[in-house]
Amino acid sequence: MYIFDTIAAISTPYGKGGVAMIRISGADALAVADAIFMPKSGKRLSELEVGRAYYGDIFSPIEGGKSIDDGIAVYFRAPRSF
C-alpha cells in the first residue's frame, strides 16, 4: 500500500449500533464521497464548508446510482483530519 492510496474502511465499533461509520482517506477521498453522497442542500460535499456535518443521501454506484440510505458526512482536510 502506498501513502497516497485512497482507502475506505469500516470504523464502527464491534457490536450493535444505530449508526455505521465508514472512513474514506487518501488523495481521491473527496471525489469518492462526492460520487456516493449528496447533501440535502443539493451541493456536493466538495462545495461545502470543511469540518461541518451534512445530512444527505447515500447512493450505490453498483445499483446505477440508486439511493440506498441516508446519512451524515463530515469532510476533514489534512493536516486536521485526525
Side-chain angles (χ1 to χ4, degrees):
M1 182 168 28
Y2 296 99
I3 193 166
F4 297 110
D5 285 351
T6 300
I7 61 169
I10 297 170
S11 295
T12 308
Y14 182 75
K16 293 183 179 181
V19 177
M21 185 180 301
I22 300 170
R23 179 180 175 165
I24 308 169
S25 59
D28 294 321
L30 188 55
V32 171
D34 274 345
I36 64 169
F37 182 80
M38 175 59 75
K40 290 294 185 178
S41 68
K43 293 182 178 181
R44 294 276 176 202
L45 195 58
S46 59
E47 299 175 278
L48 298 170
E49 187 177 340
V50 175
R52 295 195 60 174
Y54 295 96
Y55 175 69
D57 294 306
I58 301 167
F59 296 91
S60 170
I62 296 170
E63 297 184 35
K66 174 184 170 188
S67 177
I68 58 170
D69 207 345
D70 60 337
I72 298 169
V74 181
Y75 170 56
F76 294 104
R77 187 171 299 158
R80 294 178 177 93
S81 58
F82 292 111

